[in-house]
Amino acid sequence: MTKSELIEALSLKQTHLMQKDVELAVKLVLDQISNALARQQRVEIRGFGSFALHHRPSRVGRNPKTGEPVHIPAKHVPHFKPGKEMRERVNEMGQAAQS
């Protein structure tokens, strides 16, 4: 599901809201999550999951074309950990689809 598909689905469920308002709400939520991660804060949404940063240390990689060693600097990468309710819902849906 893309962001625009999410906005459309929410707009169809919340008919009392204009699509522009739904679009703004989705954009603001995503911006707040991104800003918190940029400040190296953890974001937890109960029942959904949490967003945190994982540190990747520097390492030596290889250029795939030349095989030359390349230094890759250390960095932080966003990581999502689903909450218990989401894991259970996904597992239920997966098991129902297999039946």
Side-chain angles (χ1 to χ4, degrees):
M1 175 179 276
T2 64
K3 184 166 71 168
S4 58
E5 290 170 341
L6 173 63
I7 292 166
E8 187 177 334
L10 291 173
S11 293
L12 291 173
K13 285 188 176 193
Q14 302 297 323
T15 56
H16 62 285
L17 296 173
M18 293 176 52
Q19 185 164 351
K20 281 187 174 186
D21 294 335
V22 173
E23 185 176 350
L24 179 62
V26 169
K27 184 182 181 315
L28 288 172
V29 167
L30 296 176
D31 284 347
Q32 286 299 313
I33 292 171
S34 296
N35 291 339
L37 289 173
R39 292 188 307 271
Q40 297 193 4
Q41 294 177 327
R42 184 173 178 273
V43 177
E44 181 180 338
I45 303 170
R46 301 271 170 153
F48 181 73
S50 61
F51 298 88
L53 293 177
H54 280 194
H55 177 75
R56 288 204 180 147
S58 63
R59 61 188 173 90
V60 176
R62 296 238 175 248
N63 181 328
K65 286 187 178 180
T66 64
E68 259 183 60
V70 177
H71 175 72
I72 301 171
K75 60 185 169 183
H76 286 93
V77 292
H79 176 75
F80 175 72
K81 181 178 177 184
K84 181 181 176 188
E85 289 176 38
M86 178 180 280
R87 283 193 316 268
E88 290 172 354
R89 179 181 278 186
V90 169
N91 286 330
E92 288 171 8
M93 298 293 245
Q95 290 172 355
Q98 291 176 356
S99 299

